């Protein structure tokens, strides 16, 4: 494979192998083929070696962590392994429409003012059945406004310019909501965001996710206070009040309300 200019970065931690295979197949079917896949493997119970061997057509780099790093450190390590123009995020439990990479690379090449590009998504259950379309903002201005209330960027749909990490830094390794902190920090430093309207990402919903942890909601609340923006005063205040109330709820209730809320976004 020649002229590779994109790395697809996938953090791996004890995945469901059948679900993971669906994701890898979606990468193998991409219409844009000038990319490599970097698997940063933090697993301590599941061996993915045999699964990786099923995809000789993919330019796969399977990197096994010597010691457990956790998500943020694994992502940062993967970033250091890429010298390509673009870095696309992918999660091993999601999957992607066959033209995802093609459309994102085309957009970023044609619109040089943007630092990253996400996509709209369709949520699916563990069996892959479609649940609903997640409505997210597209423009830079609207993404920045809504950032103070919820997370208007689907992390596993994002394609970055490699230069993004040189300008705005990498993921924080001290908190659970590493993507949310990165969006806030990048916004403050002048990053330009965009989300494609097409549903190019199929986001698998995990009912036992980090959204059920009280610590996660407290961390999000602290970020909203730290990055309070008077130019988005009303949204910033609403976002703080919402996260404060969510942080007071038991984990199962905060997860329930989040899932209900997400259906109407």
């Amino acid at each position: 494979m020649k002229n590779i200019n994109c790395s697809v970065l996938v953090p791996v931690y004890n995945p469901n192998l059948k679900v993971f295979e669906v994701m890898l197949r979606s990468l193998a079917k991409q219409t844009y083929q000038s990319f490599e896949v970097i698997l940063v493997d933090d697993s301590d119970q599941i061996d993915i070696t045999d699964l990786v061997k099923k995809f000789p057509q993919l330019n796969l780099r399977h990197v096994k962590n010597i010691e457990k790093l956790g998500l943020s450190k694994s992502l940062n390590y993967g970033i250091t392994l890429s010298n390509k123009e673009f870095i696309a995020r992918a999660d091993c439990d999601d999957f992607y429409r066959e033209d995802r990479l093609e459309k994102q690379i085309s957009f970023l090449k044609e619109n040089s003012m943007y630092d990253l590009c996400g996509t709209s998504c369709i949520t699916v259950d563990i069996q892959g059945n479609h649940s609903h379309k997640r409505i997210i903002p597209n423009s830079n201005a609207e993404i920045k406004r809504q950032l103070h209330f919820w997370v208007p960027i689907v992390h596993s749909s994002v394609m970055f310019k490699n230069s993004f990490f040189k300008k705005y830094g990498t993921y924080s390794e001290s908190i659970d909501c590493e993507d949310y902190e990165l969006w806030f920090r990048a916004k403050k430093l002048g990053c330009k965001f965009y989300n494609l309207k097409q549903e190019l990402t199929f986001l698998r919903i995990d009912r036992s996710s980090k959204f059920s942890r009280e610590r996660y909601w407290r961390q999000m609340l602290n970020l909203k206070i730290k990055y309070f923006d008077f130019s988005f005063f009303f949204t910033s205040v609403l976002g703080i009040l919402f996260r404060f109330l969510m942080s007071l709820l038991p984990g199962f209730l905060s997860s329930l309300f989040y899932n209900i809320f997400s259906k109407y976004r």
Side-chain angles (χ1 to χ4, degrees):
M1 192 177 296
K2 60 182 181 179
N3 299 324
I4 292 175
N5 67 344
C6 177
S7 299
V8 177
L9 175 56
V10 186
V12 181
Y13 179 67
N14 297 329
N16 177 316
L17 293 179
K18 290 184 179 180
V19 169
F20 190 17
E21 183 172 355
V22 171
M23 191 282 286
L24 291 175
R25 290 196 185 283
S26 75
L27 293 183
K29 293 178 181 178
Q30 289 296 303
T31 54
Y32 186 89
Q33 283 291 310
S34 296
F35 68 94
E36 64 176 1
V37 181
I38 300 175
L39 304 177
V40 183
D41 188 359
D42 212 28
S43 302
D44 55 9
Q45 298 177 22
I46 302 295
D47 185 357
I48 68 170
T49 305
D50 289 341
L51 177 58
V52 169
K53 290 178 180 177
K54 289 184 177 181
F55 294 90
Q57 70 273 42
L58 287 175
N59 187 7
L60 278 164
R61 298 168 63 186
H62 179 199
V63 182
K64 178 68 177 175
N65 293 339
I66 297 174
E67 60 181 24
K68 192 173 186 302
L69 296 182
L71 177 57
S72 297
K73 288 184 179 180
S74 291
L75 287 170
N76 288 339
Y77 179 40
I79 290 166
T80 68
L81 297 176
S82 173
N83 61 358
K84 308 307 178 187
E85 184 179 1
F86 304 104
I87 298 178
R89 272 284 284 112
D91 278 341
C92 53
D93 50 356
D94 299 333
F95 56 101
Y96 304 95
R97 211 170 80 178
E98 64 274 7
D99 54 350
R100 174 204 164 179
L101 298 181
E102 180 181 0
K103 288 188 177 297
Q104 288 184 294
I105 286 177
S106 176
F107 176 84
L108 289 172
K109 283 186 172 182
E110 294 172 5
N111 299 273
S112 59
M113 73 288 292
Y114 292 102
D115 297 292
L116 65 80
C117 171
T119 82
S120 296
C121 72
I122 295 174
T123 62
V124 299
D125 61 21
I126 191 63
Q127 288 80 30
N129 300 313
H130 293 192
S131 174
H132 66 280
K133 294 180 181 180
R134 180 163 300 180
I135 302 170
I136 57 175
N138 304 115
S139 71
N140 178 58
E142 191 60 20
I143 289 170
K144 288 181 174 179
R145 185 185 72 82
Q146 293 193 25
L147 186 63
H148 291 274
F149 187 75
W150 73 304
V151 188
I153 301 169
V154 179
H155 191 195
S156 63
S157 79
V158 171
M159 179 178 287
F160 303 89
K161 290 179 178 175
N162 200 319
S163 58
F164 172 96
F165 300 103
K166 296 177 178 65
K167 291 195 287 186
Y168 309 117
T170 55
Y171 293 93
S172 170
E173 298 177 356
S174 60
I175 59 175
D176 295 331
C177 43
E178 71 290 328
D179 56 327
Y180 203 32
E181 192 279 334
L182 182 59
W183 309 147
F184 266 128
R185 181 170 13 112
K187 169 185 173 290
K188 185 176 181 180
L189 296 173
C191 174
K192 290 190 179 296
F193 306 89
Y194 196 83
N195 283 319
L196 298 178
K197 292 182 179 180
Q198 299 99 322
E199 293 92 11
L200 305 180
T201 299
F202 294 87
L203 183 69
R204 208 176 296 270
I205 300 300
D206 179 5
R207 300 303 178 186
S208 60
S209 71
K210 60 188 176 183
F211 297 113
S212 65
R213 298 201 294 265
E214 294 175 33
R215 182 179 67 179
Y216 180 82
W217 292 104
R218 289 196 298 270
Q219 288 179 356
M220 294 190 80
L221 174 61
N222 291 336
L223 285 174
K224 289 178 182 297
I225 295 171
K226 178 180 179 179
Y227 289 102
F228 189 95
D229 190 339
F230 281 94
S231 55
F232 299 110
F233 181 82
F234 182 69
T235 308
S236 296
V237 170
L238 280 180
I240 288 174
L241 289 175
F242 176 70
R243 298 299 169 179
F244 174 71
L245 292 174
M246 294 294 281
S247 70
L248 297 178
L249 294 175
F252 76 95
L253 278 179
S254 60
S255 180
L256 174 64
F257 282 124
Y258 179 83
N259 289 326
I260 293 173
F261 170 77
S262 295
K263 289 185 178 181
Y264 296 97
R265 295 305 307 168

